[in-house]
PDB file of all heavy atoms in Angstrom:
ATOM      1  N   THR A1698      14.113  24.312  25.850  1.00 83.00           N
ATOM      2  CA  THR A1698      14.780  23.158  25.219  1.00 83.00           C
ATOM      3  C   THR A1698      14.012  21.866  25.465  1.00 83.00           C
ATOM      4  O   THR A1698      14.561  20.776  25.268  1.00 83.00           O
ATOM      5  CB  THR A1698      16.200  23.012  25.791  1.00 83.00           C
ATOM      6  OG1 THR A1698      16.117  22.818  27.216  1.00 83.00           O
ATOM      7  CG2 THR A1698      17.037  24.236  25.467  1.00 83.00           C
ATOM      8  N   ARG A1699      12.773  21.991  25.906  1.00 87.00           N
ATOM      9  CA  ARG A1699      12.015  20.814  26.300  1.00 87.00           C
ATOM     10  C   ARG A1699      10.711  20.665  25.497  1.00 87.00           C
ATOM     11  O   ARG A1699      10.095  21.655  25.105  1.00 87.00           O
ATOM     12  CB  ARG A1699      11.647  20.880  27.789  1.00 87.00           C
ATOM     13  CG  ARG A1699      12.855  21.011  28.676  1.00 87.00           C
ATOM     14  CD  ARG A1699      12.450  21.224  30.119  1.00 87.00           C
ATOM     15  NE  ARG A1699      13.638  21.326  30.964  1.00 87.00           N
ATOM     16  CZ  ARG A1699      13.769  20.707  32.134  1.00 87.00           C
ATOM     17  NH1 ARG A1699      12.793  19.935  32.580  1.00 87.00           N
ATOM     18  NH2 ARG A1699      14.862  20.853  32.829  1.00 87.00           N
ATOM     19  N   VAL A1700      10.328  19.405  25.303  1.00 88.00           N
ATOM     20  CA  VAL A1700       8.990  19.083  24.812  1.00 88.00           C
ATOM     21  C   VAL A1700       8.174  18.708  26.038  1.00 88.00           C
ATOM     22  O   VAL A1700       8.439  17.677  26.681  1.00 88.00           O
ATOM     23  CB  VAL A1700       9.031  17.911  23.806  1.00 88.00           C
ATOM     24  CG1 VAL A1700       7.621  17.515  23.403  1.00 88.00           C
ATOM     25  CG2 VAL A1700       9.858  18.287  22.588  1.00 88.00           C
ATOM     26  N   ARG A1701       7.193  19.564  26.371  1.00 90.00           N
ATOM     27  CA  ARG A1701       6.400  19.336  27.593  1.00 90.00           C
ATOM     28  C   ARG A1701       5.046  18.765  27.207  1.00 90.00           C
ATOM     29  O   ARG A1701       4.305  19.366  26.419  1.00 90.00           O
ATOM     30  CB  ARG A1701       6.253  20.622  28.376  1.00 90.00           C
ATOM     31  CG  ARG A1701       5.392  20.513  29.620  1.00 90.00           C
ATOM     32  CD  ARG A1701       5.614  21.683  30.532  1.00 90.00           C
ATOM     33  NE  ARG A1701       6.968  21.650  31.108  1.00 90.00           N
ATOM     34  CZ  ARG A1701       7.505  22.668  31.790  1.00 90.00           C
ATOM     35  NH1 ARG A1701       6.826  23.802  31.960  1.00 90.00           N
ATOM     36  NH2 ARG A1701       8.722  22.560  32.294  1.00 90.00           N
ATOM     37  N   VAL A1702       4.734  17.620  27.799  1.00 90.00           N
ATOM     38  CA  VAL A1702       3.518  16.888  27.436  1.00 90.00           C
ATOM     39  C   VAL A1702       2.743  16.515  28.691  1.00 90.00           C
ATOM     40  O   VAL A1702       3.339  16.071  29.697  1.00 90.00           O
ATOM     41  CB  VAL A1702       3.865  15.597  26.665  1.00 90.00           C
ATOM     42  CG1 VAL A1702       2.589  14.932  26.166  1.00 90.00           C
ATOM     43  CG2 VAL A1702       4.819  15.882  25.526  1.00 90.00           C
ATOM     44  N   HIS A1703       1.425  16.711  28.644  1.00 90.00           N
ATOM     45  CA  HIS A1703       0.535  16.195  29.674  1.00 90.00           C
ATOM     46  C   HIS A1703      -0.177  14.980  29.110  1.00 90.00           C
ATOM     47  O   HIS A1703      -0.809  15.079  28.053  1.00 90.00           O
ATOM     48  CB  HIS A1703      -0.474  17.260  30.120  1.00 90.00           C
ATOM     49  CG  HIS A1703       0.141  18.378  30.893  1.00 90.00           C
ATOM     50  ND1 HIS A1703       0.605  19.530  30.304  1.00 90.00           N
ATOM     51  CD2 HIS A1703       0.415  18.504  32.235  1.00 90.00           C
ATOM     52  CE1 HIS A1703       1.109  20.339  31.215  1.00 90.00           C
ATOM     53  NE2 HIS A1703       1.008  19.735  32.405  1.00 90.00           N
ATOM     54  N   VAL A1704      -0.033  13.855  29.825  1.00 89.00           N
ATOM     55  CA  VAL A1704      -0.569  12.597  29.324  1.00 89.00           C
ATOM     56  C   VAL A1704      -1.777  12.163  30.142  1.00 89.00           C
ATOM     57  O   VAL A1704      -2.001  12.642  31.265  1.00 89.00           O
ATOM     58  CB  VAL A1704       0.506  11.493  29.341  1.00 89.00           C
ATOM     59  CG1 VAL A1704       1.670  11.869  28.440  1.00 89.00           C
ATOM     60  CG2 VAL A1704       0.996  11.216  30.755  1.00 89.00           C
ATOM     61  N   VAL A1705      -2.550  11.249  29.582  1.00 89.00           N
ATOM     62  CA  VAL A1705      -3.731  10.716  30.262  1.00 89.00           C
ATOM     63  C   VAL A1705      -3.341   9.607  31.221  1.00 89.00           C
ATOM     64  O   VAL A1705      -3.780   9.553  32.358  1.00 89.00           O
ATOM     65  CB  VAL A1705      -4.743  10.173  29.222  1.00 89.00           C
ATOM     66  CG1 VAL A1705      -5.952   9.546  29.923  1.00 89.00           C
ATOM     67  CG2 VAL A1705      -5.184  11.288  28.289  1.00 89.00           C
ATOM     68  N   ASP A1706      -2.477   8.699  30.762  1.00 88.00           N
ATOM     69  CA  ASP A1706      -2.086   7.538  31.566  1.00 88.00           C
ATOM     70  C   ASP A1706      -0.567   7.424  31.535  1.00 88.00           C
ATOM     71  O   ASP A1706       0.024   7.097  30.491  1.00 88.00           O
ATOM     72  CB  ASP A1706      -2.732   6.274  30.995  1.00 88.00           C
ATOM     73  CG  ASP A1706      -2.463   5.036  31.850  1.00 88.00           C
ATOM     74  OD1 ASP A1706      -1.673   5.131  32.807  1.00 88.00           O
ATOM     75  OD2 ASP A1706      -3.040   3.973  31.539  1.00 88.00           O
ATOM     76  N   VAL A1707       0.066   7.712  32.672  1.00 87.00           N
ATOM     77  CA  VAL A1707       1.529   7.687  32.709  1.00 87.00           C
ATOM     78  C   VAL A1707       2.073   6.269  32.509  1.00 87.00           C
ATOM     79  O   VAL A1707       3.232   6.097  32.100  1.00 87.00           O
ATOM     80  CB  VAL A1707       2.046   8.262  34.053  1.00 87.00           C
ATOM     81  CG1 VAL A1707       1.722   9.738  34.159  1.00 87.00           C
ATOM     82  CG2 VAL A1707       1.467   7.498  35.237  1.00 87.00           C
ATOM     83  N   ASP A1708       1.276   5.267  32.798  1.00 87.00           N
ATOM     84  CA  ASP A1708       1.754   3.891  32.640  1.00 87.00           C
ATOM     85  C   ASP A1708       1.991   3.527  31.175  1.00 87.00           C
ATOM     86  O   ASP A1708       2.686   2.531  30.880  1.00 87.00           O
ATOM     87  CB  ASP A1708       0.745   2.904  33.257  1.00 87.00           C
ATOM     88  CG  ASP A1708       0.678   3.040  34.768  1.00 87.00           C
ATOM     89  OD1 ASP A1708       1.682   3.487  35.364  1.00 87.00           O
ATOM     90  OD2 ASP A1708      -0.375   2.703  35.350  1.00 87.00           O
ATOM     91  N   LYS A1709       1.405   4.282  30.257  1.00 87.00           N
ATOM     92  CA  LYS A1709       1.586   4.006  28.836  1.00 87.00           C
ATOM     93  C   LYS A1709       2.833   4.670  28.255  1.00 87.00           C
ATOM     94  O   LYS A1709       3.166   4.458  27.090  1.00 87.00           O
ATOM     95  CB  LYS A1709       0.354   4.474  28.045  1.00 87.00           C
ATOM     96  CG  LYS A1709      -0.903   3.662  28.345  1.00 87.00           C
ATOM     97  CD  LYS A1709      -2.068   4.126  27.467  1.00 87.00           C
ATOM     98  CE  LYS A1709      -3.316   3.284  27.726  1.00 87.00           C
ATOM     99  NZ  LYS A1709      -4.458   3.724  26.897  1.00 87.00           N
TER     100      LYS A1709
END
Side-chain angles (χ1 to χ4, degrees):
T1698 59
R1699 302 174 179 225
V1700 175
R1701 177 164 292 169
V1702 186
H1703 290 91
V1704 299
V1705 177
D1706 185 353
V1707 294
D1708 292 334
K1709 292 183 178 179

